[in-house]
Amino acid sequence: MNTPAENRRPPGSRLKTLSTIGFAILGAGLIAISYGLARFAFGLFVPPMRSDLGLGADLIGLIGAIPFISFVFATLIAPLAASRLGARNAAVLSGGFGVGGLALMSQAETALALGVGVAACGVCTGLMMPALTSAMQAAVRRSMHGRVTAVMNAGTSIGVAVAVPAALFLANAWRLAYVSFAVLAGIGVLAAWYFIPSVSRVQPADAEPPPRIGLIQWTQLIRLSLFAFSMGFIASGYWIFAPDLVVNLSDMPPDQTAWLWLAVGIAGLSGAIISDLSDRNGPAITHALALVTISASLALLAASPGQLFLAIVSAVVFGVAYMSLSGLYLLTGIHLSPGRPSMGPVLPFIAIAIGQAAGAPAIGFAIAHLGYAHAFALFSTIGLFVATLSPLYPRHFDYGEEAHAETTNGEHDEAATPADEPGRPATDSQATDSPTTAGARPE
C-alpha cells in the first residue's frame, strides 16, 4: 500500500516524532520562551531596571523599540534560514540568540549592554515562528495547521505568565530573574534539537506550485498589514510601560505589578480559540471588538492605577484582546497566502513588530511630556479610531474569489461548476484537499 506523501519520513529527519498535540505543545513552549520571556517580559522589569541603571522613560522607550526592530530583520531572513538550515537548525539558532540575549541582559550595567541584549532577544523571536511553521509542514496534517498555529501563538501568554513568579519573588533581583530565563531558553534549545524534524517542508514531487498572488490578494495583505501595524503601535505602551505607570501613579510596590502580567498571560490563553470566533462572528466584527477592548484596557489602567483590582481587570481585558488580535492576523495571513506557509505568519508579525517599534519611543516621548495618564488616553483614542475602520478588514475568502476570476478568464472560460460561482467561497473540504490551498483554511 502506498504511503501518503505528507506522511513519508523525509531523508535526514529524526526517528523521534511527535503527535499533532505534542507538536502544538512543543511549539507553544518554544513560543513561550521566545515571545513571552525573551520579548514581552521586559516591561515587567522596567521599574527595577530604571532604578538600577538610572534610565529615563524616553530612553526606556527607545530600548523597548530595539527588539521589535531586530525582530523585523530576523523575520525577513527567517524563511530563507529555515529553507537553507532546515527547521530544526533554524529553531536551535533562534533559541541560541535567546540564551545569549537573556544572559547579556542579566549582566547589563549600561543602556548599551541592555540594548544589545534585547536586540538578540528580538532576533530569537523573529526566527522562531517561521522555523516552527516550516516544521509543521512535515509534522502535522494539513487540515490541522490552522488550529496548531493558533495554539502555538497562545504560547506567548504562557511565557508572560511564567515570568510572573520571577517578578514576585525576585522583584529586587531582576538580574537573577533573567539568568533563570536564560536557563529555560537553554532547555528550549535542547528540546528543539531533539524533537523538531530537520527537513523544513514535505511536498509531493508532483504537487502543483502555490497559486500566484494577484492584485486583490496583495490589496488585502496590505490592509491586513496596516491593521496589524496599528494594533502593534497602540499596544506597545501597555507592554512596556503598564507596570511603570502603576508604580509611578500609585503607592503600589514594584513586585505587585507582577499580578498584571499574570492576568495578561492567563487571559491571553483564550486567543487559542480565535479561529472559531472569527468563523462565527466574521473577522471584521471580531477585529473591531478586540481593538475596542485594547483601547478600553489602556483607558482603565490610566484612570485607576492605584486600585489593584481594576488594574488586574485592565490586564485581563488587554491579554484577551491582544492575543486574540495577533492570532486573528496570523490566521488571516495564512488564508490570504495559500500554499505559502512561511509568508502567511511573516507579514502580520512584521507589521505588528514595526508598529511596536514605532509605538514604544512614541509613547515614551508622550509620557515624558504629557504624563502617563494623558499618554495612555491618547493611545486609547487612536485605538478607537482604528476600530471604526474595521469594515475594511480583509475577508478570509477573498483569495478564493480572485483565483476563480483569474481561472475563468483564462484557460477555463468555457465552463464553470456550481462551486465556482462568483462570490462563493471554497468549502472547507475544497480548501483542505486541494494541493494548492493546503493549510490555507484552518479546520
Side-chain angles (χ1 to χ4, degrees):
M1 181 175 64
N2 293 331
T3 303
E6 64 179 1
N7 293 327
R8 294 173 190 158
R9 191 181 305 282
S13 64
R14 290 189 173 277
L15 294 177
K16 187 67 176 179
T17 59
L18 291 173
S19 64
T20 297
I21 295 176
F23 184 87
I25 293 173
L26 172 64
L30 294 175
I31 292 297
I33 294 170
S34 58
Y35 279 76
L37 298 182
R39 189 162 127 187
F40 289 127
F42 175 75
L44 186 59
F45 294 93
V46 162
M49 285 180 180
R50 285 189 61 184
S51 177
D52 289 354
L53 301 180
L55 306 177
D58 50 354
L59 185 54
I60 280 290
L62 290 173
I63 294 174
I66 292 174
F68 302 120
I69 296 173
S70 61
F71 168 87
V72 170
F73 285 106
T75 303
L76 289 174
I77 67 170
L80 178 63
S83 176
R84 294 292 180 86
L85 301 177
R88 181 204 308 155
N89 292 334
V92 168
L93 179 63
S94 168
F97 272 101
V99 172
L102 291 167
L104 182 58
M105 291 176 68
S106 72
Q107 304 302 314
E109 297 289 347
T110 64
L112 178 60
L114 186 63
V116 174
V118 298
C121 289
V123 174
C124 163
T125 310
L127 292 176
M128 185 58 76
M129 181 60 87
L132 290 173
T133 303
S134 294
M136 183 174 66
Q137 309 307 306
V140 178
R141 294 196 317 272
R142 286 187 291 238
S143 61
M144 296 298 295
H145 285 181
R147 285 181 176 172
V148 169
T149 301
V151 171
M152 290 194 300
N153 183 65
T156 302
S157 297
I158 299 173
V160 170
V162 167
V164 171
L168 287 173
F169 298 108
L170 301 173
N172 297 319
W174 60 272
R175 298 183 186 278
L176 182 58
Y178 269 88
V179 169
S180 67
F181 295 164
V183 172
L184 290 176
I187 296 174
V189 169
L190 295 176
W193 179 82
Y194 189 69
F195 288 108
I196 291 182
S198 60
V199 176
S200 61
R201 185 173 183 180
V202 178
Q203 187 175 33
D206 59 348
E208 298 180 26
R212 181 177 63 87
I213 295 181
L215 179 60
I216 293 178
Q217 281 173 271
W218 276 121
T219 301
Q220 303 294 8
L221 286 168
I222 290 172
R223 287 186 191 177
L224 171 65
S225 298
L226 290 175
F227 278 117
F229 170 88
S230 301
M231 190 277 282
F233 184 91
I234 295 159
S236 60
Y238 207 104
W239 280 120
I240 296 176
F241 286 107
D244 208 40
L245 179 151
V246 172
V247 170
N248 281 274
L249 296 188
S250 70
D251 297 327
M252 190 181 300
D255 60 332
Q256 292 301 306
T257 61
W259 296 112
L260 299 182
W261 254 225
L262 180 62
V264 169
I266 294 176
L269 292 173
S270 62
I273 64 171
I274 189 61
S275 176
D276 296 327
L277 291 178
S278 178
D279 288 342
R280 177 176 299 179
N281 301 317
I285 293 177
T286 303
H287 180 267
L289 291 176
L291 200 53
V292 167
T293 303
I294 280 188
S295 298
S297 69
L298 291 167
L300 180 60
L301 187 66
S304 56
Q307 301 182 43
L308 180 59
F309 174 75
L310 291 180
I312 290 176
V313 170
S314 167
V316 169
V317 170
F318 177 81
V320 171
Y322 181 89
M323 299 305 171
S324 295
L325 280 174
S326 60
L328 178 64
Y329 296 145
L330 181 65
L331 292 174
T332 303
I334 292 175
H335 278 282
L336 294 176
S337 54
R340 292 175 171 84
S342 61
M343 179 182 178
V346 167
L347 286 179
F349 275 18
I350 286 179
I352 292 173
I354 294 175
Q356 289 168 328
I363 195 167
F365 179 84
I367 289 172
H369 291 80
L370 302 177
Y372 285 94
H374 287 89
F376 269 59
L378 174 62
F379 273 58
S380 175
T381 303
I382 295 173
L384 292 175
F385 171 74
V386 176
T388 64
L389 304 177
S390 293
L392 298 176
Y393 191 84
R395 293 174 295 169
H396 282 178
F397 55 83
D398 280 341
Y399 72 84
E401 293 178 353
E402 180 184 27
H404 162 73
E406 293 180 350
T407 300
T408 54
N409 290 333
E411 51 192 88
H412 298 297
D413 286 302
E414 71 279 4
T417 63
D420 291 326
E421 292 172 3
R424 178 174 178 173
T427 63
D428 286 341
S429 60
Q430 289 170 321
T432 302
D433 294 337
S434 172
T436 62
T437 58
R441 297 178 66 85
E443 295 296 305

